[in-house]
Structure formats: C-alpha cells, structure tokens
Amino acid sequence: MANHMNAAKHRPQGKSLLGGAMIIAGTTVGAGMFSLPVVGSGMWFGYSIAMLLGVWFCMLMSGLLLLEANLHFESGASFDTLTRETLGQFWRVINGVSIAFVLYILTYAYISGGSSIVNHSLSAIGVTLPQSVAGLVFAIVLALIVLISTKAVDRITTIMLGGMVITFFLAIGNLLIEIDTTKLMSPDGESRYLPYLFAAIPFGLASFGYHGNVPSLVKYYGKDASTIVKAIVVGTSIALVIYVCWLIATMGNIPRSQFADVIAKGGNIGVLVEALSGVMASQWLNSMLTLFANLAVASSFLGVTLGLFDYLADLFGFDDSGTGRMKTAAVTFIPPTILGLLFPNGFIIAIGFAALAATVWAVIVPALLAHKVRQLYPNTNSFKVPGGTPLIAVVVLFGVITATCHLLAMADILPVFK
C-alpha cells in the first residue's frame, strides 16, 4: 500500500496509464506493420511468429533496463545526459550518433511510407500528387502536433490508436475469417524457410523500437516507475498482438509468390495495401484498410519524432518556451523532410539501416547503462529489472547478433527472399 501511495504521489495529476501505453504502442506499431509481411515472406508464418516473440521479449527487457537507469536521473534527462554521466564521453558520442541516425532515418522512413499511403488513398478519389509533395504535406501536418506539446501527442495518439483498433479489426476481421490455412502453413511446398529468418531479425528489432520514448515517459510521469513499467508492457504487448493478427491476415490471403512482386516494386506501404486490396470483399473494407494504414504510419511518426524532439532539446539545451520549441522543431523535422523529398521510396531500406544503428542505442547501451547504475548505486531501493547480470548478457548478445545479421545480409552472405 505504501509503495502504491508513493507511486501515486510521484505521478503528475491527470496523466493516466492509458496515455503512456498508447504512446508506446503508437510508436511501436508502424514499421512492423508494413515491413514484417514483406521481409517475413521468405521464412513465412511459423518462423515469423517465433522471431517476433523472441525479439519482443529482448526489446521489452532492454526498454525496462533503460528505465532502470533513467530513474536515477532528473526527469527530462535523455540519452545524452544518461550516457555522459554514466558511461563516459566515448559511449556518449557513439550513442549520440546512433540515436540521432535511427530517429532521423525512421522519421524519413515514415515520411516515405506516409507519402506512399497518402497517394494510395488519394488515388481512390482520382487525385494524384507527386510522391515528394504527398510526403511534404504528411510531414508538415504531423510536425505541428509535436511542436505543440507532449500532451498533444498523447491525446492525438490515443485517438489514432482507437481509430487503428476499430479500422484494423473491421478491415482485417474479414481477412482473418477468409484465411487459407494452406497458404499460411505450407504456401508453396518449399522445405527451406529457416535460412531467411536471420536477415529478417533486424526488421523485427525495428518493429519494437519505442526506446526513444522512455525518457519522455519519465519526464511525463515523474518517478512513478510502476506506471511506466505497466505502460511499456501494455504498449508493447498491444503491438505484438496486432503484429500477429496482421501476419495471419496478410500471409493467409496473399500467396507467397505474390510477395515477390511487392518486393520488386520497392515494398512500400502503398504497394502492400494495394496487394491486400485485391483480396478484400468490398470497397468499404478496402477503405477501412487504407484508413488503418494512414493512422498506423501517422501514429508511429508522432511517437518517433516526440522521442527525437526531446532528445535534441536535451542535446542542444533548447528550453520549453515557444522559441525553444521552434528551434527544436527545425532541427527535428527539416533534415528528414528534405530526404523524403529527394528519395520518396526508401521505406524498406531505411527500416533496415535503422535497425542496424538501433542495436547500439536501443539494445546494447540500455544494458550497459543498467549494469553501470547497479555498480554505482548497489543499495538503491529504486526499480530494478529481474534477471540480474545474465539477463543483461542476453540483451547485449541479442544486439550483437542482430547487427551481424544485417551486415551479412547487406553483403549478400545471408539469403534474402526476392
């Protein structure tokens, strides 16, 4: 009871568990929705689910290890402060470069994906925009929400997540009922699916990338560790369930051979949605699927850029005044938007590179931070992730394996389905 009362005392008034969970889920659901079916088409359904479960566990643990370290600092301290004060200048620079790269490249990926799905949506009413212009409109509208406040992102993301759940099950419910189990379990009689798993692991990691929001949640909730832990567990679990349903719906309806066509066209979001639209029972269900895709990309964009916004504000020392937020918004949104104008179809490639760099700041560094904090504060009563040093070792090993898989896939040493 005393612990519960302390948690309530530390939690700012009017800030519910639901809001934090929706920020985590909204950030997480996005990259995986549209990259997982494409990169998982090689290993297909069974191995895709096994890979998802393993990655979800490791990414959940790394996020909680990050929280454990973060709670020893003032609310508002982001990765730059944590690494500088705990691991030293070398890891501060390495981590700073990797986190900036990941969040920037993900912001670009969502601008690319957003432009693709916006154009797919507009094509239904006979309107066609240049892909770069569609991306620019997408970026400007959502950047304004982040500029306003974290609370605005909380409220808008919660609404979007509600809309995503409704449209997801309206659109996907029919696909789930109509799945062909033969396609799902034995799509084309091929016996070798396992070799394709390794090149897909980095995309699984990118599908659970919410870690940039952990410092934001500490800033938002204060030292209420219990609520933040629940928000992370609930948010990532929502994402896992949605991913599993999505893989059942896509792989149970689209033949494995047809994914080769999706990949050949660049694998962007609009291409995958177009392939699914071909098996939808009605135009209304097709519209629900398109609306879901728009909400998924938009909510992920908001979650990722909120993390980038807070990180850059901490890095450059910009305050929370109107002028300070404008400066932070400029360095947050202008570079990836320019990249989106120049290269509007780089969604899948960008997700892969994001995963490579994310192994540093979203997996390895959180584990090192928690290990160091336990040495610095051995007698603390603060939140501690169960599992001791063996768990930290497992998380670090997962990061090393993931980075190695991506590099081997880029070098054409690992098989990639095409």
Side-chain angles (χ1 to χ4, degrees):
M1 178 63 73
N3 288 338
H4 178 76
M5 291 181 66
N6 285 335
K9 181 174 69 175
H10 286 303
R11 184 191 311 161
Q13 292 298 310
K15 296 180 179 178
S16 67
L17 166 64
L18 178 65
M22 290 303 100
I23 285 179
I24 295 294
T27 303
T28 305
V29 177
M33 288 303 297
F34 304 103
S35 63
L36 283 175
V38 176
V39 300
S41 56
M43 59 179 167
W44 209 238
F45 181 69
Y47 286 119
S48 292
I49 298 301
M51 184 270 289
L52 267 185
L53 288 170
V55 170
W56 167 77
F57 174 78
C58 291
M59 294 298 278
L60 172 61
M61 291 301 106
S62 68
L64 294 179
L65 288 170
L66 173 60
L67 173 63
E68 178 183 332
N70 206 342
L71 289 171
H72 290 278
F73 292 82
E74 290 296 319
S75 296
S78 193
F79 273 92
D80 184 64
T81 302
L82 267 61
T83 50
R84 183 184 70 241
E85 298 295 329
T86 306
L87 300 178
Q89 187 66 16
F90 172 78
W91 279 105
R92 179 195 181 194
V93 172
I94 295 295
N95 189 71
V97 170
S98 66
I99 188 174
F101 179 82
V102 170
L103 294 179
Y104 271 128
I105 204 72
L106 280 179
T107 301
Y108 157 69
Y110 290 131
I111 291 173
S112 169
S115 67
S116 175
I117 193 59
V118 165
N119 255 347
H120 174 76
S121 306
L122 292 175
S123 67
I125 57 173
V127 177
T128 303
L129 288 176
Q131 194 92 330
S132 56
V133 174
L136 182 63
V137 173
F138 176 87
I140 289 174
V141 170
L142 294 177
L144 290 174
I145 298 172
V146 179
L147 177 62
I148 294 169
S149 69
T150 299
K151 195 168 186 176
V153 176
D154 175 349
R155 296 291 183 263
I156 297 295
T157 303
T158 300
I159 293 169
M160 285 184 173
L161 258 292
M164 280 171 60
V165 170
I166 294 169
T167 55
F168 178 77
F169 285 105
L170 284 174
I172 306 307
N174 180 71
L175 291 175
L176 290 173
I177 293 170
E178 298 294 328
I179 62 168
D180 182 343
T181 53
T182 304
K183 286 179 184 174
L184 206 58
M185 298 304 174
S186 182
D188 50 17
E190 184 177 327
S191 59
R192 292 177 69 253
Y193 300 105
L194 180 60
Y196 295 111
L197 182 148
F198 300 101
I201 290 175
F203 293 88
L205 184 152
S207 301
F208 288 99
Y210 62 91
H211 298 63
N213 291 124
V214 173
S216 299
L217 290 185
V218 174
K219 180 179 179 181
Y220 192 47
Y221 287 114
K223 300 290 186 178
D224 184 7
S226 174
T227 300
I228 301 172
V229 170
K230 290 174 185 174
I232 293 172
V233 172
V234 171
T236 57
S237 298
I238 289 171
L240 177 65
V241 170
I242 290 175
Y243 284 153
V244 170
C245 291
W246 179 246
L247 287 177
I248 294 171
T250 51
M251 294 181 173
N253 285 277
I254 302 177
R256 186 171 183 251
S257 58
Q258 193 173 332
F259 275 98
D261 298 330
V262 173
I263 293 168
K265 293 177 182 177
N268 213 328
I269 295 172
V271 180
L272 179 62
V273 172
E274 185 180 344
L276 268 176
S277 298
V279 296
M280 298 298 280
S282 70
Q283 184 58 44
W284 183 79
L285 290 172
N286 183 23
S287 298
M288 289 298 99
L289 175 64
T290 302
L291 178 56
F292 164 76
N294 280 282
L295 290 173
V297 178
S299 65
S300 283
F301 179 91
L302 287 174
V304 166
T305 54
L306 173 63
L308 179 59
F309 190 94
D310 286 345
Y311 171 75
L312 292 173
D314 180 55
L315 177 64
F316 292 115
F318 295 143
D319 60 30
D320 213 33
S321 66
T323 303
R325 292 186 72 83
M326 284 295 292
K327 290 177 182 176
T328 309
V331 295
T332 300
F333 296 108
I334 290 176
T337 302
I338 291 174
L339 199 61
L341 291 171
L342 297 175
F343 306 102
N345 275 312
F347 178 72
I348 292 291
I349 295 172
I351 296 296
F353 277 107
L356 177 62
T359 58
V360 177
W361 74 269
V363 183
I364 295 172
V365 165
L368 296 179
L369 284 170
H371 180 66
K372 187 66 174 179
V373 160
R374 290 176 186 183
Q375 292 178 331
L376 294 173
Y377 308 101
N379 300 316
T380 181
N381 292 322
S382 182
F383 165 73
K384 183 178 289 187
V385 182
T389 304
L391 177 71
I392 291 177
V394 167
V395 171
V396 171
L397 181 62
F398 166 70
V400 172
I401 290 173
T402 303
T404 303
C405 286
H406 184 73
L407 292 172
L408 292 176
M410 285 176 59
D412 287 330
I413 295 173
L414 287 179
V416 177
F417 185 70
K418 296 180 181 179

